[in-house]
């Protein structure tokens, strides 16, 4: 029962366990000095002017305006004295921008797809094939691309936009209703008489984000240093100051400034990840087709490249889903998708337009065939004793021939290269959790009668924040030095969550939200992990024992039916858990909206869960037969269940079939008046 399946959890971190005591002791020893906030109004450095950076500065501007209107002079004295934002590209938006690299037949042009509504967030392409075991930041065969950072450092003297940007034609994969903001609704931006579909193209939403932050503050971006790459961030214990060294992309000149606080707002999609083993095999065996990462889609004439051709997508999460649809729209002959785990989102799509997509599940590319024009795949299995994939001896093979293009939809990694090792240890040396209570039992769910009480594994591995906790981080605060703050997101409502966490970050800086002692932060993190262990989908990701128990269920089990009410119930439970965590943070941050508490969602919170369920049905209920099967996609799904939680405005159907919409066909999308 997985909506956006990930690779099976990796349970082989024994060396991390040995390091935990030493790391914790060192962190606690340094806490006494770093938890004391700087005297007076702090200066703040913000790294990144994508959604997280924009939303943090917007939270500060909103708080300032409210305090000025209320005459709150004491509150104004607690706001940052200054905020300096560093952004390596030429404008705001982060991954939501599209940098035009190619102008051919009005092609989509720019870069990546991750971030924001693309569910990462995380992740976004969290099932990225071979990402965890074999990924690299760059691959020799791709070094010539202008959109990829080909060095092992974040600094580049020459002007170079190396961030992962969306390609121009990209549309959201999640319902827009889960990212609407209470202080600037879609009606405020698009107008009350504009009917909006559930799924939106990139450009109108980026304009919505930017308009939100500038409408009351036309000089909003004056404090952003665009075209500036952060080279290094260090912290001086003696002065309690961060030193931020940055380089101009235009002149190559460097400068260093000092700040009281540092906010990392660069997002989860800073660097593309590549499957090293597969890429080396393709090059060594003489594959003759083109090979790119999804972040490079805008650098080629995509339509001309795929028209009447066979395309292979490596990876089975949201970028693979979207690029498969874009390729079909462009006239591809056939699209193959490699799904190593067999659990990513593409495995749950009930039908594809024109029956042009074939998912190659649980198979590994092993050889180039057909004189360099094809690839052979071998059956794989996941060994839950060694927690590794193995090619099955004597297993099935699958030959894919006449391939013209291979796209690695293998996700991204956060770009933390500029951060000093002492300030990013929870991410570079992730810890496990060893403190499950003795005799702990999971709360009953739909699987309880099937698998009984499964004792928890030791350790539990919230390695990538699956349960909203990263060991050593508390609500974005680096526990060993809470002056270093990370704006994170874990849920299926990423932009909404980023906005809440930006407000929480500001509340920590101003003192409106308490910064607990190190011991209390540990206790609260531990309790959240324990709570998460009673959420079926989350426990599946972080507990090896539970994962093994579920693997014993055969393929005919009801859990493999996406529309079974029991499956929907456990999926909704996961969504509700993430939203309850957000609700708790909203209250701590004095966020100007309310979806309930950590214990119980209110009507708005419950509506967000229902919106996600309706969006999920759009994917798993597509007809495989009949006239609609030739053209229908999840973006053509029935929107009648979807409405704004702020204004009640109903989503409307697209005015054309999605597959017939041109890349810039916004007039048909956002036209005024009734739907035709």
């Amino acid at each position: 029962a997985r909506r956006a399946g990930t690779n099976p959890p990796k349970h082989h971190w024994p060396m991390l366990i040995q390091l935990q005591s030493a790391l914790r002791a060192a962190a606690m020893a340094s806490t006494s000095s770093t938890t004391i906030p700087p005297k007076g109004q702090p200066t703040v450095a913000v790294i990144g002017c994508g959604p997280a950076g924009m939303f943090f500065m917007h939270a500060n501007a909103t708080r300032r305006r409210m305090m000025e209107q209320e005459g709150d002079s004491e509150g104004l004295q607690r706001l940052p004295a200054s905020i300096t934002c560093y952004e390596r590209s030429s404008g705001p938006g982060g991954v939501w921008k599209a940098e035009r690299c190619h102008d051919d037949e009005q092609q989509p042009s720019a870069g990546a797809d991750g971030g924001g509504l693309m569910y990462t967030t995380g992740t976004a392409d969290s099932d990225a094939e071979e990402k965890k075991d074999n990924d690299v930041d760059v691959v020799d065969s791709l070094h010539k691309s202008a959109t990829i950072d080909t060095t092992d450092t974040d600094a580049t003297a020459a002007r170079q936009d190396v961030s992962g940007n969306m390609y121009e034609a990209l549309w959201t994969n999640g319902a827009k209703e889960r990212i609407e903001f209470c202080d600037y609704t879609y009606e405020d931006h698009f107008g009350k008489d504009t009917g909006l579909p559930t799924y939106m193209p990139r450009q109108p939403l980026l304009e919505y984000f930017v308009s939100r932050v500038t409408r009351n503050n036309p000089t909003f971006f004056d404090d952003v240093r665009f075209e500036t790459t952060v080279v290094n961030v260090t912290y001086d214990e003696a002065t309690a100051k961060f030193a931020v060294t940055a380089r101009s992309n235009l002149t190559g000149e460097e400068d260093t400034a000092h700040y009281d606080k540092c906010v990392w707002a660069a997002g989860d999609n800073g660097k593309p990840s590549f499957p090293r083993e597969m890429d080396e095999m393709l090059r060594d065996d003489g594959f003759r087709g083109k090979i790119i990462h999804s972040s490079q889609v805008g650098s080629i004439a995509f339509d001309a490249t795929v028209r009447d051709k066979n395309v292979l997508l490596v990876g089975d999460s949201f970028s693979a889903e979207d690029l498969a649809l874009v390729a079909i729209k462009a006239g591809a002959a056939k699209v193959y998708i490699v799904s190593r785990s067999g659990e990513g989102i593409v495995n749950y799509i009930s039908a594809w337009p024109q029956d042009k997509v074939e998912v190659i599940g649980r198979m590994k590319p092993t050889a180039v065939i057909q004189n360099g024009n094809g690839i052979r795949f071998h059956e794989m299995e996941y060994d839950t004793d060694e927690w590794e994939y193995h090619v099955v001896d004597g297993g099935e093979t699958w030959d894919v021939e006449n391939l013209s293009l291979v796209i690695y939809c293998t996700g991204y990694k956060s770009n933390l290269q500029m951060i000093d090792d002492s300030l990013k240890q929870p991410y570079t040396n992730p810890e496990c959790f060893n403190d499950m209570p003795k005799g702990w039992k999971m709360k009953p769910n739909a699987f309880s009668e099937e698998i009984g009480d499964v004792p928890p594994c030791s350790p539990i591995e919230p390695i990538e924040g699956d349960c909203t906790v990263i060991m050593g981080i508390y609500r974005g605060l680096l526990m060993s030095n809470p002056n270093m703050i990370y704006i994170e997101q874990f849920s299926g409502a990423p932009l909404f969550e980023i906005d809440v966490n930006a407000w929480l970050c500001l509340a920590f800086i101003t003192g409106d939200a308490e910064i607990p002692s190190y011991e209390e932060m540990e206790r609260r993190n531990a309790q959240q992990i324990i709570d998460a262990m009673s959420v079926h989908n989350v426990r599946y990701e972080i507990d090896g024992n539970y994962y093994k128990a579920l693997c014993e269920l055969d393929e005919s089990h009801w859990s493999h039916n996406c529309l079974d009410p029991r499956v929907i119930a456990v999926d909704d439970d996961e969504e509700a858990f993430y939203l309850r965590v957000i609700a708790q943070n909203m209250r701590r941050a004095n966020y100007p909206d309310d979806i309930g508490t950590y214990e119980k969602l209110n009507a708005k919170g419950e509506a967000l869960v229902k919106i996600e369920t309706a969006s999920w049905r759009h994917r798993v209920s597509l007809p495989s037969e009949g006239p609609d099967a030739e053209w229908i996609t999840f973006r053509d799904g029935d929107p009648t269940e979807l409405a704004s939680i702020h204004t009640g405005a109903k989503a409307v159907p697209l005015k054309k079939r999605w597959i017939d919409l041109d890349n810039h066909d916004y007039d048909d999308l956002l036209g005024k008046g009734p739907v035709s």
Side-chain angles (χ1 to χ4, degrees):
R2 304 299 303 148
R3 279 188 177 149
T6 61
N7 281 319
K10 285 170 60 178
H11 302 281
H12 56 278
W13 299 81
M15 294 187 67
L16 295 175
I17 303 169
Q18 298 172 17
L19 291 171
Q20 284 187 35
S21 297
L23 292 173
R24 186 178 294 109
M28 292 178 67
S30 65
T31 301
S32 58
S33 62
T34 57
T35 53
I36 300 173
K39 295 181 180 179
Q41 293 177 272
T43 55
V44 181
V46 177
I47 301 174
C49 195
M54 282 196 295
F55 296 170
F56 173 77
M57 293 188 292
H58 175 68
N60 181 68
T62 302
R63 290 285 285 156
R64 181 176 297 280
R65 186 172 63 253
M66 293 168 60
M67 290 173 176
E68 288 173 346
Q69 292 172 351
E70 297 167 359
D72 184 359
S73 57
E74 188 276 331
L76 287 168
Q77 289 300 311
R78 291 185 283 108
L79 291 175
S82 66
I83 297 175
T84 302
C85 182
Y86 296 86
E87 171 55 49
R88 64 183 175 183
S89 69
S90 58
V95 297
W96 285 82
K97 293 196 305 115
E99 299 291 339
R100 181 172 290 279
C101 304
H102 200 286
D103 190 13
D104 178 77
E105 302 178 39
Q106 295 186 330
Q107 289 295 28
S109 55
D113 68 315
L117 200 57
M118 301 311 294
Y119 291 163
T120 64
T121 306
T123 281
D125 292 312
S126 56
D127 189 40
E129 301 308 303
E130 304 190 46
K131 171 184 173 184
K132 295 185 178 180
D133 295 323
N134 302 304
D135 66 339
V136 290
D137 297 340
V138 289
V139 176
D140 292 341
S141 64
L142 306 178
H143 276 184
K144 294 183 180 179
S145 168
T147 62
I148 299 297
D149 184 1
T150 61
T151 69
D152 195 34
T153 174
D154 191 50
T156 50
R159 183 180 181 210
Q160 179 177 222
D161 190 351
V162 296
S163 56
N165 293 49
M166 298 182 182
Y167 43 89
E168 189 170 332
L170 183 135
W171 284 49
T172 63
N173 284 325
K176 75 180 189 306
E177 286 77 11
R178 287 168 64 86
I179 59 167
E180 184 179 17
F181 302 109
C182 64
D183 62 345
Y184 188 59
T185 66
Y186 292 132
E187 286 191 352
D188 292 331
H189 183 73
F190 295 103
K192 288 188 176 181
D193 55 346
T194 301
L196 297 177
T198 294
Y199 307 98
M200 297 277 289
R202 173 201 59 80
Q203 184 62 31
L205 281 178
L206 175 58
E207 293 168 0
Y208 168 62
F209 304 151
V210 173
S211 294
R212 179 198 181 210
V213 302
T214 58
R215 64 177 183 137
N216 292 319
N217 189 357
T219 61
F220 181 86
F221 293 111
D222 283 2
D223 293 325
V224 180
R225 295 182 57 181
F226 293 111
E227 296 280 14
T228 303
T229 296
V230 176
V231 177
N232 195 31
V233 178
T234 60
Y235 185 76
D236 187 332
E237 292 278 357
T239 62
K241 294 278 188 179
F242 290 92
V244 178
T245 301
R247 177 184 295 147
S248 168
N249 296 345
L250 303 176
T251 67
E253 295 180 358
E254 290 189 4
D255 65 83
T256 299
H258 297 85
Y259 303 92
D260 299 309
K261 307 281 186 179
C262 183
V263 176
W264 186 85
D268 292 334
N269 303 290
K271 299 187 299 182
S273 291
F274 299 94
R276 177 192 295 272
E277 183 180 351
M278 177 177 181
D279 189 75
E280 290 180 349
M281 182 273 293
L282 292 179
R283 288 185 292 122
D284 293 344
D285 286 8
F287 180 68
R288 300 176 64 182
K290 184 183 292 290
I291 305 171
I292 64 171
H293 187 272
S294 61
S295 61
Q296 299 172 290
V297 166
S299 67
I300 66 172
F302 186 79
D303 285 14
T305 302
V306 305
R307 189 176 298 120
D308 299 322
K309 304 290 178 40
N310 292 339
V311 179
L312 176 71
L313 307 179
V314 182
D316 61 6
S317 197
F318 290 99
S319 64
E321 176 193 41
D322 187 71
L323 281 172
L325 294 175
V326 173
I328 294 170
K329 179 186 283 193
K334 189 77 174 182
V335 179
Y336 299 92
I337 304 177
V338 184
S339 171
R340 180 177 67 170
S341 69
E343 296 185 350
I345 189 69
V346 301
N347 295 277
Y348 298 96
I349 307 301
S350 57
W352 299 87
Q354 303 165 36
D355 196 27
K356 281 192 173 183
V357 174
E358 197 154 4
V359 178
I360 305 172
R362 294 185 171 89
M363 289 196 137
K364 176 181 180 178
T366 56
V368 173
I369 60 172
Q370 199 194 8
N371 296 320
N373 295 306
I375 300 175
R376 174 163 296 155
F377 296 84
H378 276 82
E379 181 182 359
M380 287 196 311
E381 62 182 2
Y382 192 62
D383 187 335
T384 56
D385 291 324
E386 298 182 16
W387 302 110
E388 293 180 351
Y389 285 102
H390 297 293
V391 172
V392 177
D393 290 337
E396 295 182 3
T397 61
W398 190 329
D399 290 349
V400 179
E401 300 183 341
N402 302 315
L403 283 171
S404 297
L405 176 66
V406 172
I407 305 179
Y408 296 143
C409 302
T410 44
Y412 304 82
K413 297 192 295 185
S414 298
N415 190 352
L416 298 172
Q417 290 173 333
M418 75 289 291
I419 306 296
D420 185 74
D421 288 344
S422 65
L423 300 172
K424 61 183 179 184
Q425 203 159 39
Y427 299 97
T428 57
N429 294 296
E431 294 187 24
C432 301
F433 179 68
N434 293 290
D435 298 321
M436 287 299 294
K438 289 184 178 180
W440 175 88
K441 291 186 178 181
M442 188 179 191
K443 293 179 181 178
N445 61 40
F447 290 85
S448 299
E449 292 185 6
E450 310 275 346
I451 61 177
D453 290 322
V454 179
C457 185
S458 182
I460 300 301
E461 299 179 13
I463 300 299
E464 296 184 344
D466 296 293
C467 61
T468 74
V469 172
I470 293 175
M471 304 293 288
I473 300 290
Y474 171 77
R475 308 294 187 266
L477 296 173
L478 178 66
M479 289 166 56
S480 61
N481 182 352
N483 293 312
M484 182 74 206
I485 310 174
Y486 292 86
I487 298 179
E488 305 171 313
Q489 65 86 23
F490 304 103
S491 74
L495 286 171
F496 171 46
E497 183 181 9
I498 288 171
D499 196 48
V500 170
N501 289 342
W503 276 74
L504 182 59
C505 171
L506 179 66
F508 283 135
I509 291 172
T510 61
D512 291 324
E514 68 159 335
I515 298 179
S517 67
Y518 190 98
E519 294 82 0
E520 178 62 15
M521 287 190 274
E522 277 200 315
R523 188 197 67 79
R524 293 183 186 181
N525 275 354
Q527 186 57 57
Q528 194 154 305
I529 292 173
I530 294 168
D531 293 346
M533 283 284 285
S534 279
V535 180
H536 167 81
N537 286 354
V538 178
R539 188 180 178 191
Y540 170 87
E541 298 287 348
I542 66 177
D543 182 355
N545 287 352
Y546 197 66
Y547 175 81
K548 287 181 179 180
L550 292 169
C551 285
E552 297 298 319
L553 301 175
D554 62 44
E555 292 294 325
S556 63
H557 191 263
W558 56 262
S559 60
H560 295 283
N561 177 6
C562 298
L563 295 175
D564 188 288
R566 292 162 290 188
V567 172
I568 294 173
V570 295
D571 283 348
D572 286 352
D573 187 41
E574 178 190 21
E575 293 299 322
F577 171 72
Y578 287 127
L579 289 172
R580 288 190 289 109
V581 173
I582 294 173
Q584 182 182 57
N585 289 339
M586 291 170 76
R587 299 210 165 194
R588 287 174 172 156
N590 294 319
Y591 190 78
D593 198 14
D594 180 20
I595 62 170
T597 67
Y598 185 61
E599 289 71 33
K600 184 177 176 58
L601 297 175
N602 62 18
K604 274 190 174 181
E606 293 291 348
L608 288 172
V609 175
K610 292 177 181 177
I611 288 167
E612 176 66 6
T613 301
S615 177
W616 176 240
R617 279 200 293 268
H618 290 165
R619 287 180 162 88
V620 300
S621 302
L622 294 167
S624 58
E625 297 179 351
D628 291 351
E630 285 295 302
W631 58 269
I632 196 166
T633 72
F634 72 91
R635 294 187 178 114
D636 300 291
D638 181 3
T640 54
E641 296 181 74
L642 300 158
S644 167
I645 66 170
H646 304 297
T647 66
K650 296 279 190 180
V652 302
L654 290 170
K655 295 186 177 182
K656 284 184 179 180
R657 299 168 176 176
W658 181 84
I659 208 164
D660 295 329
L661 282 169
D662 293 331
N663 295 342
H664 304 284
D665 210 355
Y666 298 150
D667 290 339
D668 289 297
L669 174 72
L670 303 175
K672 303 281 184 178
V675 180
S676 58

